[in-house]
């Protein structure tokens, strides 16, 4: 009998799928709250469900129904939700080189480019596994979030607010689990510390969602500083070394 061989890359793909499923479940359950709040804001069940299906970015959705529920104008609601969704476009710029998609697949990927799918993808080391993580996280959240939205819209008032159960912390805990391995090197530690400091400073004086955008600048700044020495070495390399 030949010995059983284990494919390391297959194991990584399986781990990425498990991460995507766990993050999808942890985040998706919180969709119950959105479904209930959508009904409370004056939307009917199908309008609430359609908002999750078509908009599909949690922060923007909560901002939209929050403004509508408070009597704000639809224009203000759309403008605010759009501002909060800008970060997904920034994620798309980073993920484009990993996914390398065209046509309808590119459109589908854009729809599920969110915090969770990006986090699961970038938590992986190998490019192929990053693609697996992206789709597992994106489709996992999409499935559970929309199912939970429907449940919340139909029976949300009977279930109550998931925040009372601490389910809003489940998604945050999943994120911590994903980024923890990235904090082993000094660059990751500095980036995390700087991003946390920016978010804390900007939390009170800026609208919801803006601290996240500002904290993303931490990665840009650290990346530029970290790559500066290598660029300087390339510039200073004598021409004779190229022969």
């Amino acid at each position: 009998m030949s010995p059983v061989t284990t494919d390391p890359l297959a194991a990584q793909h399986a781990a990425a799928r498990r991460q995507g499923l766990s993050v999808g479940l942890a985040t998706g359950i919180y969709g119950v709250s959105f479904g209930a709040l959508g009904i409370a804001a004056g939307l009917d069940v199908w309008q609430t469900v359609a908002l999750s299906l078509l908009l599909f970015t949690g922060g923007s959705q909560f901002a939209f129904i929050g403004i509508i529920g408070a009597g704000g104008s639809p224009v203000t609601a759309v403008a605010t939700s759009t501002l909060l969704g800008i970060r997904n476009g920034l994620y798309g710029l980073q993920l484009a080189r990993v996914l390398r998609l065209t046509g309808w697949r590119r459109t589908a990927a854009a729809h599920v480019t969110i915090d969770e799918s990006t986090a699961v993808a970038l938590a992986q080391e190998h490019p192929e596994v990053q693609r697996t993580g992206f789709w597992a996280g994106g489709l996992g959240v999409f499935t559970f979030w929309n199912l939970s939205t429907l449940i919340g819209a139909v029976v949300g008032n009977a279930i109550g607010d998931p925040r009372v159960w601490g389910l809003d912390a489940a998604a945050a805990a999943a994120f911590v689990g994903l980024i923890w391995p990235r904090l082993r090197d000094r660059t990751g530690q500095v980036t995390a510390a700087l991003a946390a400091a920016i978010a804390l400073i900007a939390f009170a004086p800026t609208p919801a969602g803006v601290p996240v955008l500002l904290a993303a600048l931490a990665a840009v700044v650290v990346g530029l500083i970290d790559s500066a020495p290598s660029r300087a070495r390339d510039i200073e390399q004598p021409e004779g070394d190229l022969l």
Side-chain angles (χ1 to χ4, degrees):
M1 180 181 295
S2 60
V4 178
T5 59
T6 303
D7 183 357
L9 195 58
Q12 292 179 37
H13 281 289
R17 284 190 287 268
R18 287 194 299 270
Q19 287 181 0
L21 180 62
S22 63
V23 171
L25 181 59
T27 305
I29 290 176
Y30 197 47
V32 173
S33 180
F34 174 75
L37 291 174
I39 299 300
L43 303 180
D44 61 31
V45 171
W46 298 115
Q47 287 173 329
T48 304
V49 170
L51 198 57
S52 270
L53 283 170
L54 301 176
L55 184 56
F56 187 55
T57 170
S60 297
Q61 292 178 223
F62 280 106
F64 182 89
I65 62 171
I67 293 174
I68 293 297
S73 71
V75 174
T76 303
V78 171
T80 303
S81 63
T82 300
L83 174 64
L84 295 180
I86 289 177
R87 68 186 188 280
N88 294 340
L90 300 177
Y91 297 154
L93 294 176
Q94 186 172 13
L95 290 171
R97 59 181 178 80
V98 174
L99 301 177
R100 299 178 181 178
L101 300 172
T102 58
W104 68 268
R105 291 181 179 84
R106 188 182 183 93
T107 302
H111 193 56
V112 295
T113 298
I114 53 176
D115 301 295
E116 292 80 7
S117 60
T118 303
V120 176
L122 298 183
Q124 318 307 319
E125 298 293 340
H126 195 282
E128 290 184 14
V129 183
Q130 288 181 329
R131 289 190 281 273
T132 297
F134 171 82
W135 288 112
L139 295 178
V141 174
F142 185 83
T143 300
F144 289 114
W145 179 264
N146 283 284
L147 287 174
S148 296
T149 295
L150 178 59
I151 293 172
V154 174
V155 295
N157 291 332
I159 295 176
D161 190 343
R163 286 175 291 188
V164 175
W165 314 333
L167 292 178
D168 54 329
F175 266 94
V176 172
L178 283 173
I179 67 171
W180 190 259
R182 294 285 183 174
L183 302 181
R184 290 175 295 186
D185 57 72
R186 183 173 179 80
T187 300
Q189 295 167 0
V190 172
T191 303
L194 182 58
I198 293 174
L200 287 173
I201 293 172
F203 178 76
T206 61
V210 174
V212 177
L213 296 176
L214 295 178
L217 295 176
V220 176
V221 172
V222 174
L224 291 174
I225 295 175
D226 193 49
S227 61
S230 60
R231 291 200 306 269
R233 285 194 298 269
D234 292 340
I235 295 173
E236 295 173 0
Q237 183 178 21
E239 293 183 2
D241 292 346
L242 299 177
L243 299 178

